[in-house]
Amino acid sequence: MPEGDILRRAAAGLDRALAGQVLVRAELRWPSAAGVDLVGRTVLGTTPYGKHLLTRFDDGRTLHTHLRMDGHWRLARTGSSEAAARGGDVRAVLASATWTAVGRSLGMLDVVRTRDEPSLIGHLGPDVLADELDLPEIGRRWTAAGRTPAAEVLLDQRVAAGIGTIYCAESLFAERLWPWTPASEVPAPARLYVVARRQMQRSVVTGDAPGQVHGRVRQPCRRCGTPIAVAPARRPPMERPVFYCPSCQRPPST
């Protein structure tokens, strides 16, 4: 699933193409929004929050989208074959005279009054990539997790928004922390979020994730050479794979 760094890049791309522009075409191929007319509206900009995108318009409305596992926004020159936006996976089309943004395989789509955005994202914790990281609030929410495994708390968007399986695994590896350490036994949980934030900020600029453990099962650890392992965090159907080094990230009792 795309994480906060991907959403930052997606928002920046949408802004470069559409911010300040009047829509000459707007199609929302989503049952609950099929009758919404956005043609003639000026795009104020797109703001990312965790794994969510909020595209705001000059009439006080917001288009909320979530990529889920496979969704993405792509830009094409208006009038090009790509801008025609053909295919059954197209969920949204927003076009100015110059650029067309096509949202494919989007997992969520809503149109709400901008003032009602909290009804969609108000349950989330602080955005890990916000201008200022709200560590006190994240710490309060972490403490409330009790003995929940650290990996599961990192993945919980209600604690902090934006971290998925990649930066969960990579931040835990960077801190040499066993992913299933009870949250209450983690000596400095704030450091995990600081590390994840720095990793994600780097990715926003370079497009590259750290690549130390995630997706490298059975490959040698870049630090000690031990084969990387993977195990699930959370329960079905919400389980997620967490990659780790069995030597660098030993359980607290070993």
Side-chain angles (χ1 to χ4, degrees):
M1 181 180 291
E3 303 184 28
D5 56 331
I6 302 297
L7 274 296
R8 290 272 154 172
R9 293 204 296 271
L14 289 171
D15 266 358
R16 286 193 298 270
L18 297 177
Q21 302 299 307
V22 176
L23 294 182
V24 299
R25 178 187 176 194
E27 300 173 12
L28 302 179
R29 304 176 189 177
W30 197 271
S32 62
V36 174
D37 183 11
L38 295 172
V39 173
R41 300 272 56 89
T42 297
V43 179
L44 300 181
T46 297
T47 298
Y49 194 100
K51 301 179 182 182
H52 300 252
L53 290 173
L54 303 167
T55 301
R56 297 174 179 134
F57 305 97
D58 64 344
D59 64 349
R61 286 186 291 177
T62 294
L63 170 65
H64 162 251
T65 56
H66 191 296
L67 305 184
R68 293 287 192 191
M69 291 296 294
D70 302 313
H72 59 264
W73 282 94
R74 293 290 184 269
L75 301 174
R77 286 282 182 179
T78 298
S80 67
S81 59
E82 293 85 357
R86 300 183 182 91
D89 63 340
V90 175
R91 299 291 176 263
V93 183
L94 303 175
S96 70
T98 305
W99 288 102
T100 297
V102 180
R104 294 183 180 272
S105 300
L106 302 176
M108 296 173 64
L109 188 152
D110 305 276
V111 178
V112 300
R113 295 177 298 181
T114 299
R115 68 185 186 214
D116 292 335
E117 288 175 1
S119 68
L120 300 172
I121 62 171
H123 65 288
L124 300 173
D127 185 351
V128 173
L129 287 176
D131 290 343
E132 293 187 13
L133 185 59
D134 191 349
L135 287 175
E137 179 59 20
I138 292 173
R140 184 186 69 79
R141 295 176 184 228
W142 179 283
T143 299
R147 295 190 61 79
T148 302
E152 296 185 15
V153 182
L154 284 170
L155 291 169
D156 190 341
Q157 303 301 292
R158 298 168 300 177
V159 177
I163 295 176
T165 54
I166 295 175
Y167 294 99
C168 169
E170 297 293 345
S171 60
L172 288 166
F173 175 77
E175 291 297 293
R176 295 177 178 265
L177 192 67
W178 188 55
W180 295 272
T181 303
S184 57
E185 296 181 16
V186 175
R191 284 186 53 84
L192 287 168
Y193 291 95
V194 171
V195 168
R197 173 183 172 88
R198 288 174 180 165
Q199 292 172 338
M200 295 168 80
Q201 287 174 328
R202 190 177 303 115
S203 174
V204 170
V205 175
T206 66
D208 297 323
Q212 297 298 309
V213 288
H214 184 80
R216 299 189 63 245
V217 66
R218 292 188 292 276
Q219 297 181 46
C221 173
R222 302 188 196 280
R223 185 187 285 152
C224 72
T226 301
I228 298 298
V230 62
R234 305 198 298 196
R235 296 186 179 128
M238 299 301 292
E239 72 270 27
R240 294 290 183 269
V242 178
F243 297 82
Y244 67 103
C245 172
S247 293
C248 295
Q249 297 168 267
R250 294 180 181 276
S253 60
T254 63

